[in-house]
Amino acid sequence: MNPSPIKRRALFVSYDGSRFFGWQKQADGIATVQSALEAALSELAQEHISVVTAGRTDTGVHATAQVVHFDSAAQRPDQAWVRGVNALLPEGVAVWRVQDVAPEFHARFDACGRRYRYLLQSAPVRSPLLVGRAGWTHYALDMAAMRQAAALLVGEHDFSSFRAAECQAKSPVKTLYRVALCGTPELMAVDFHGNAFLHHMVRNLMGALVYVGCGKLSVDGFAGLLAARSRKLAPPTFMPDGLYLTGIDYPSQFGVATPPPPAWLFPDW
């Protein structure tokens, strides 16, 4: 009997980042999204499976539409790859779609855009219902000033001022296609859409935008910070709680598309 051909598949995954120590598998065996997903896939396929992700997320960072690919000779219907894997996954992570993809498709290297949404609460007291789901500041925020600062980020820039010290990216130059704020000063969503992001880049941008919103940093000062290309001058990294990976862009020939953020994650007003 001829062995089954190896096929490449893409999985669409969502997870609660507060339940895991980030995406990437660790040598000490701590709970990560990658380790949980690979264990479930390997058990279902009855062979060792490794996954490649579009983008690694840190501890506490969520995803509504993470994309991974994996190779397997196991013959399973799509329903089994979804329901079967979900039955083996721990709470806090779920596969919601699978599709066959071309052998040359690569979840990470073929990604031409990534989308994040940051949910932010501004209130004197943090809502216990939003802990782990939204970032929080006790300062009152000026959304108009924050929008002015956010507009300066659109385009190609050197984002060294918003790059973590441990970032391994070859270049700090990235392109942001869109940065948009919606909602109210008390509860807002900030969308970031770019070709790629540096380590902690969105959280560092949020830290600076909150400084602008509460008056600790002027819009001109924000522009100067971007131009300075120095992390030492920037505000602290903001909390991960409100950060969601909401989509990955791929060239149309691959037929891999992620939907807009779900309505429960703050509808666009």
Side-chain angles (χ1 to χ4, degrees):
M1 180 183 296
N2 293 327
S4 299
I6 294 176
K7 296 179 67 175
R8 179 159 293 188
R9 296 176 175 87
L11 284 180
F12 300 79
V13 186
S14 60
Y15 49 84
D16 175 357
S18 67
R19 296 172 180 259
F20 300 94
F21 292 92
W23 165 268
Q24 190 172 13
K25 183 166 55 178
Q26 304 293 325
D28 55 9
I30 62 174
T32 68
V33 182
Q34 182 182 8
S35 60
L37 187 58
E38 288 184 347
L41 284 165
S42 298
E43 184 172 344
L44 181 67
Q46 291 298 290
E47 64 181 26
H48 176 72
I49 289 181
S50 297
V51 300
V52 176
T53 185
R56 293 175 293 184
T57 52
D58 295 325
T59 300
V61 177
H62 315 295
T64 64
Q66 177 69 276
V67 178
V68 306
H69 81 252
F70 69 96
D71 297 328
S72 175
Q75 300 298 306
R76 304 284 189 274
D78 288 354
Q79 186 179 49
W81 285 118
V82 175
R83 293 188 177 181
V85 170
N86 285 339
L88 299 168
L89 285 170
E91 289 186 358
V93 56
V95 172
W96 48 270
R97 196 171 98 205
V98 63
Q99 72 179 74
D100 294 348
V101 290
E104 65 271 17
F105 172 78
H106 196 284
R108 178 185 175 192
F109 296 139
D110 287 322
C112 55
R114 292 167 175 83
R115 301 167 188 265
Y116 288 90
R117 174 167 291 182
Y118 197 100
L119 189 60
L120 175 65
Q121 180 197 20
S122 167
V125 177
R126 188 178 191 182
S127 169
L129 301 179
L130 293 177
V131 173
R133 299 288 177 268
W136 171 73
T137 178
H138 67 274
Y139 293 109
L141 298 176
D142 180 348
M143 283 186 72
M146 294 174 71
R147 284 195 174 101
Q148 291 179 48
L152 301 174
L153 299 171
V154 176
E156 182 180 88
H157 300 284
D158 183 325
F159 286 98
S160 293
S161 292
F162 307 101
R163 178 182 191 174
E166 61 271 27
C167 180
Q168 298 178 355
K170 294 181 180 179
S171 171
V173 178
K174 304 298 175 187
T175 300
L176 289 186
Y177 308 126
R178 177 176 180 265
V179 183
L181 286 71
C182 65
T184 68
E186 292 74 32
L187 184 63
M188 72 177 72
V190 186
D191 281 345
F192 297 87
H193 181 202
N195 66 338
F197 291 83
L198 303 168
H199 190 195
H200 285 174
M201 179 173 158
V202 175
R203 290 171 58 192
N204 289 335
L205 287 171
M206 283 302 304
L209 288 173
V210 168
Y211 266 42
V212 171
C214 71
K216 288 188 174 184
L217 182 67
S218 67
V219 174
D220 286 342
F222 184 90
L225 178 61
L226 177 62
R229 304 175 184 178
S230 173
R231 179 68 196 137
K232 294 179 181 179
L233 303 176
T237 303
F238 211 61
M239 63 185 67
D241 302 43
L243 183 55
Y244 298 77
L245 173 63
T246 58
I248 310 294
D249 301 336
Y250 292 101
S252 59
Q253 67 263 27
F254 291 116
V256 177
T258 52
W264 57 261
L265 184 58
F266 206 98
D268 291 328
W269 289 358

